Amino acid sequence: IELYKYKLAKHFIVTSQTTLINKRKNKPRKEEGNLQISVDKKLTMCLIDKPMKEKLVENGNNSTTKESWTKPTSIDDKALCVSSWKSSILAVTIAPLTVIFANWFPFVIPYTHAPLYYSSTNYVYEEGLTRFDNSPFTYVTDYIVALLMAYGAFDMYKIRTRIASRDGSIRNSRSHYLEATCTATSGMLAFYAISVVAGGLSHQFFTSLEMMNTIYYKIMWCITVGCVTAAAGSIGAIGSCLALYFHNPKKMLFTVPILPTSFWVYLGGYFTVVCFCGGISFHRPACDIFIAGTMQFVPTAYTIAVILSRQFGVKQQHEEKSTQDHSEVNSTSKNTVMDALKGSNKESGPDFTAVSLHTRTLFVFGFLANAPLLPAYPELLWLGLDLGYVNMILHCNLAIAWGLQYISIKQICMSQLKKDT
């Protein structure tokens, strides 16, 4: 009934205002620009009681513009993130240490046969040391993984577009963080797709040692490995965007500092430059991929920590200063009217209850599922398994792990969209 009264009153006020504008030919544009403001003011003054009306007048709410009624207040991400100078120091420190760690780690795994297969070079391959498989088991599975990742990248881009095109009345002040999460995820999956396409072409067409020592192979293999190192930046950016979207100090199990996306851009770029300079090149090119994957350790651990640190289970209400007066209205009918007037100013924040334990489990498992490949690769070769079969097993594992990353992040984003819908 109250909604009907609101719509009916607004109809008559708009009609009367339109008639008034038509009569005043001298200032039509100014009157039209203030039409909605006048409607909001009149409805507010008509449909609330006298004490509340006096309080609104005292607080200056009768002079509020249309923008202040409808524009959501965004949280200050710069205030929440680690400061620029701290993140810069952290970046220039962590990046080289991560490269050193990635090149060192395979050799310190207990009982490993990695020293037999990890022989470093600078894209100069020698007879007797180089093994590069050209069987269909390797490049066909590469192409299959590429198709799956390309589909995931396009799907996440569509979700990002859907979030960006939502109406302002259901778009909360943190929606751009959710949109950025989809963008980073789409970029990560695109990097994966490009990597396996370039890898498949290399395995299929570069079939001799002479061909592998050409500049064309170096370019193709740098793209293959470089996309994996660049994906490290996307993984970290996903963690930072989720941390900003689900920020609530009262719902934290433990504190994880929010790093700016510029930190992850630098990290991914640094790793890629090291790759192109031959810093992670081995006579067995597959080893390059494992070292590049090890470089994803820092952003992967950070992103998992962000999800594990949030206390999912209690819905967070996004409190804003503009809703303080509204909370003093006791009548349900008055709440309905004020909600309609203030639009998106009174909004719900991220829904912590929508991110299920199942989704979080898939998320963590997806980002950890590739970890066993590093120690498994030399042991499978030591057992005498054909290199083509080894690559096929590894590619199947990649498809599962990367697929779970895509599915879990999509479920997180869609859970927030369903809430708003």
Side-chain angles (χ1 to χ4, degrees):
I1 293 174
E2 296 298 332
L3 284 175
Y4 175 77
K5 290 168 60 180
Y6 164 76
K7 293 180 180 179
L8 188 62
K10 185 173 183 178
H11 170 73
F12 283 114
I13 292 176
V14 170
T15 303
S16 61
Q17 289 283 2
T18 304
T19 304
L20 183 61
I21 291 172
N22 291 333
K23 291 180 179 179
R24 297 179 179 179
K25 298 296 183 179
N26 295 332
K27 301 180 180 179
R29 294 184 179 273
K30 182 176 179 181
E31 293 294 342
E32 289 175 1
N34 294 328
L35 174 59
Q36 182 62 44
I37 304 171
S38 177
V39 171
D40 286 345
K41 290 179 187 176
K42 288 187 177 182
L43 283 176
T44 304
M45 295 300 113
C46 291
L47 298 178
I48 60 177
D49 55 11
K50 185 175 181 180
M52 185 61 190
K53 183 190 303 182
E54 293 174 354
K55 186 171 182 60
L56 288 175
V57 173
E58 290 173 2
N59 292 337
N61 283 304
N62 59 336
S63 61
T64 304
T65 62
K66 178 183 177 182
E67 182 179 2
S68 64
W69 281 103
T70 59
K71 184 179 180 179
T73 304
S74 176
I75 61 177
D76 187 359
D77 53 345
K78 291 185 178 180
L80 294 177
C81 292
V82 176
S83 60
S84 299
W85 69 270
K86 290 182 180 179
S87 62
S88 299
I89 295 175
L90 198 61
V92 298
T93 304
I94 288 182
L97 290 178
T98 303
V99 175
I100 295 173
F101 170 79
N103 283 280
W104 165 81
F105 183 69
F107 301 96
V108 298
I109 300 174
Y111 309 107
T112 182
H113 293 93
L116 299 176
Y117 305 103
Y118 283 79
S119 176
S120 61
T121 182
N122 190 5
Y123 300 109
V124 179
Y125 303 99
E126 301 176 7
E127 188 71 37
L129 295 176
T130 302
R131 288 291 307 275
F132 193 62
D133 183 70
N134 304 112
S135 67
F137 294 105
T138 299
Y139 59 79
V140 170
T141 51
D142 265 328
Y143 297 146
I144 293 174
V145 176
L147 289 175
L148 296 176
M149 294 304 103
Y151 171 80
F154 180 69
D155 191 35
M156 291 306 299
Y157 177 78
K158 289 196 301 182
I159 297 175
R160 179 257 180 201
T161 305
R162 178 179 173 185
I163 296 173
S165 61
R166 286 191 302 175
D167 183 76
S169 61
I170 62 172
R171 180 181 173 87
N172 66 57
S173 61
R174 302 191 189 186
S175 292
H176 61 286
Y177 296 129
L178 198 65
E179 182 181 341
T181 302
C182 295
T183 303
T185 306
S186 180
M188 178 188 70
L189 297 173
F191 281 134
Y192 290 157
I194 296 171
S195 174
V196 288
V197 166
L201 294 174
S202 301
H203 283 286
Q204 184 176 2
F205 296 107
F206 293 88
T207 57
S208 66
L209 193 64
E210 292 75 16
M211 296 178 69
M212 291 179 64
N213 282 311
T214 62
I215 187 62
Y216 304 107
Y217 174 81
K218 181 178 179 179
I219 293 173
M220 290 296 293
W221 198 248
C222 282
I223 293 174
T224 302
V225 183
C227 285
V228 177
T229 57
S234 297
I235 294 172
I238 291 170
S240 293
C241 293
L242 289 176
L244 287 168
Y245 183 79
F246 289 107
H247 176 72
N248 184 0
K250 297 180 180 180
K251 303 295 183 294
M252 297 282 287
L253 298 176
F254 55 90
T255 302
V256 177
I258 302 178
L259 296 171
T261 53
S262 58
F263 173 86
W264 302 113
V265 171
Y266 173 84
L267 211 66
Y270 183 91
F271 295 159
T272 305
V273 170
V274 170
C275 166
F276 275 74
C277 293
I280 54 174
S281 176
F282 295 85
H283 282 100
R284 286 179 176 263
C287 298
D288 302 8
I289 300 292
F290 294 117
I291 302 301
T294 307
M295 290 181 179
Q296 295 181 352
F297 165 73
V298 172
T300 298
Y302 176 82
T303 303
I304 291 176
V306 167
I307 291 296
L308 295 181
S309 66
R310 267 57 182 176
Q311 185 181 355
F312 293 99
V314 180
K315 186 175 181 180
Q316 174 192 11
Q317 293 294 330
H318 184 49
E319 299 177 357
E320 296 184 351
K321 181 178 179 180
S322 60
T323 60
Q324 291 177 356
D325 292 334
H326 168 65
S327 63
E328 299 179 9
V329 182
N330 298 322
S331 173
T332 304
S333 61
K334 296 169 189 173
N335 291 343
T336 305
V337 172
M338 296 297 289
D339 285 347
L341 289 176
K342 294 189 177 182
S344 61
N345 228 30
K346 180 181 182 301
E347 58 181 73
S348 61
D351 190 353
F352 280 63
T353 60
V355 185
S356 64
L357 177 62
H358 175 264
T359 299
R360 284 173 278 152
T361 303
L362 291 180
F363 185 93
V364 174
F365 182 78
F367 279 99
L368 293 179
N370 284 331
L373 299 184
L374 176 69
Y377 177 72
E379 307 312 316
L380 292 174
L381 295 178
W382 176 256
L383 293 175
L385 197 62
D386 185 75
L387 188 56
Y389 291 116
V390 173
N391 289 339
M392 182 179 67
I393 294 172
L394 301 180
H395 292 165
C396 291
N397 192 97
L398 288 177
I400 294 173
W402 292 347
L404 290 178
Q405 293 173 21
Y406 153 62
I407 292 172
S408 59
I409 298 175
K410 178 182 178 179
Q411 288 181 357
I412 292 175
C413 296
M414 292 302 295
S415 68
Q416 303 306 303
L417 282 175
K418 290 179 180 179
K419 169 184 74 70
D420 289 335
T421 304

